[in-house]
Amino acid sequence: RKFNIYIFNKISNEINLPGVNSADNLNITKLENSIEIKALAEKEVFIKNIDVKLPLKSYSLENGNLILDFESK
């Protein structure tokens, strides 16, 4: 399940990562035209790519959901 939420000058994207309990288990890499997310759960590894050229402003992990905040132009 994924949501895009637009708030003034910010775009938020929520990604469900069940079993990922700590931001220490995340690796977020900015690529040329996307963001690559690698997340480690107890018995699974998640690898996700999001096609976005916007700069990543912040991120947080809440109850197995990764929330990415991008600056909109």
Side-chain angles (χ1 to χ4, degrees), residues 14-22 60-67:
E14 183 174 323
I15 300 169
N16 188 11
L17 300 171
V20 179
N21 299 320
S22 170
S60 62
L61 184 67
E62 300 173 11
N63 300 319
N65 291 309
L66 175 62
I67 300 167

Side-chain angles (χ1 to χ4, degrees), residues 17-67:
L17 300 171
V20 179
N21 299 320
S22 170
D24 292 336
N25 295 334
L26 295 173
N27 183 342
I28 300 172
T29 305
K30 173 70 174 141
L31 304 174
E32 186 175 344
N33 294 314
S34 64
I35 299 282
E36 179 184 69
I37 300 159
K38 294 180 182 175
L40 180 63
E42 189 173 318
K43 296 182 180 183
E44 290 183 88
V45 175
F46 297 95
I47 300 174
K48 301 193 182 246
N49 286 302
I50 300 173
D51 294 330
V52 64
K53 292 183 181 180
L54 300 172
L56 181 63
K57 188 174 185 177
S58 64
Y59 66 90
S60 62
L61 184 67
E62 300 173 11
N63 300 319
N65 291 309
L66 175 62
I67 300 167

